[in-house]
């Protein structure tokens, strides 16, 4: 699975997004529950949000983004997508330790 960093820049302010926010939040919770959305949130001091997705490929990610209520509602002015291969950091170390523990448990 590939990881993608997605930045949404909005063409309306926070107040202008409120009408679509419940559907947006519900969509993100659904994607998080299914393991597709790894992280997401607003960029402080900017009219934008940053999301980290895990998807099979760029085409699958595009289908996910096309279904985003903010995109459907026309309030995303621009989208920047970059494929990312994280390899270092405390989250990666914790994930690796977790996976090693799962492997060891399976060997009993």
């Amino acid at each position: 699975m590939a990881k993608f960093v997605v930045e949404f820049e909005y063409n309306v302010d926070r107040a202008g997004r409120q009408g679509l926010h419940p559907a947006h939040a519900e969509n993100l919770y659904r994607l998080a529950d299914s393991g597709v959305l790894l992280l997401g949130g607003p960029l402080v001091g900017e009219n934008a949000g940053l999301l980290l997705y895990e998807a099979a490929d760029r085409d699958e990610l595009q289908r996910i983004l096309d279904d985003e209520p903010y995109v459907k509602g026309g309030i995303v002015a621009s989208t920047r997508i970059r494929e990312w291969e994280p390899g270092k950091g405390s989250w990666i170390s914790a994930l690796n330790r977790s996976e090693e523990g799962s492997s060891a448990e399976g060997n009993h």
Side-chain angles (χ1 to χ4, degrees):
M1 297 286 274
K3 291 177 181 57
F4 297 92
V5 176
V6 177
E7 182 177 347
F8 286 152
E9 186 173 331
Y10 307 113
N11 57 22
V12 296
D13 62 11
R14 188 173 186 88
R17 295 192 299 273
Q18 287 308 304
L20 290 171
H21 185 73
H24 166 74
E26 182 179 316
N27 182 55
L28 294 184
Y29 286 130
R30 180 182 57 78
L31 291 170
D33 287 345
S34 66
V36 173
L37 178 66
L38 305 178
L39 292 169
L43 290 170
V44 176
E46 297 186 37
N47 193 24
L50 193 66
L51 304 114
L52 176 59
Y53 293 96
E54 187 169 56
D57 55 31
R58 181 65 176 76
D59 290 337
E60 180 181 331
L61 175 69
Q62 191 59 55
R63 288 189 292 276
I64 292 164
L65 297 179
D66 289 345
D67 199 37
E68 162 58 48
Y70 280 177
V71 171
K72 286 180 167 181
I75 64 172
V76 175
S78 66
T79 305
R80 184 174 180 189
I81 300 169
R82 291 165 281 179
E83 189 169 349
W84 184 44
E85 293 184 14
K88 302 200 179 14
S90 61
W91 287 356
I92 298 299
S93 297
L95 179 61
N96 289 341
R97 282 192 302 272
S98 173
E99 288 176 354
E100 288 169 5
S102 294
S103 305
E105 290 172 12
N107 292 333
H108 288 32

